[in-house]
């Protein structure tokens, strides 16, 4: 049977890595600031969406994942490992 959740019940497997890489950008990059950075790169999200992605409560599309990776300066594969 197909499951659309990670083994730990999260709706994505990239959220923890997104949070880690965002925090590695520096203390000045809050979830709100990161949402603004994503908006500049073409994804309409707000601080709440970033929080939900990082906590695993929100699904992430492949298109969003590529833009998130670009914004973080990493390969999208780095967010999936």
């Amino acid at each position: 049977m197909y499951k659309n959740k990670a083994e730990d019940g999260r709706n994505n497997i990239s959220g923890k890595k997104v949070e880690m890489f965002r925090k590695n950008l520096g203390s000045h990059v809050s979830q709100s600031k990161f949402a603004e950075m994503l908006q500049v790169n073409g994804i309409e999200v707000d601080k709440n969406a970033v929080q939900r992605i990082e906590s695993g409560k929100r699904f992430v599309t492949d298109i969003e994942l590529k833009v998130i990776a670009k914004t973080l300066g990493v390969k999208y594969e780095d967010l999936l490992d």
Side-chain angles (χ1 to χ4, degrees):
M1 174 184 257
Y2 175 77
K3 295 181 182 180
N4 62 348
K5 291 187 182 256
E7 291 180 8
D8 62 1
R10 295 166 60 93
N11 289 325
N12 68 61
I13 60 172
S14 60
K16 291 178 184 179
K17 291 284 187 133
V18 170
E19 180 179 20
M20 181 192 76
F21 284 118
R22 175 183 61 80
K23 288 181 176 180
N24 286 343
L25 292 174
S27 60
H28 64 282
V29 182
S30 64
Q31 290 176 334
S32 295
K33 177 64 177 170
F34 188 57
E36 291 173 12
M37 294 167 69
L38 292 172
Q39 290 171 8
V40 167
N41 285 313
I43 296 180
E44 284 300 317
V45 295
D46 60 11
K47 180 247 183 225
N48 294 328
V50 171
Q51 188 277 329
R52 292 182 71 229
I53 289 169
E54 291 182 353
S55 68
K57 294 179 181 176
R58 183 181 180 279
F59 289 100
V60 179
T61 68
D62 54 353
I63 295 166
E64 292 173 326
L65 190 67
K66 287 190 84 170
V67 174
I68 290 168
K70 176 184 173 188
T71 304
L72 291 169
V74 299
K75 297 178 187 174
Y76 71 88
E77 294 94 338
D78 294 335
L79 301 175
L80 299 174
D81 289 336

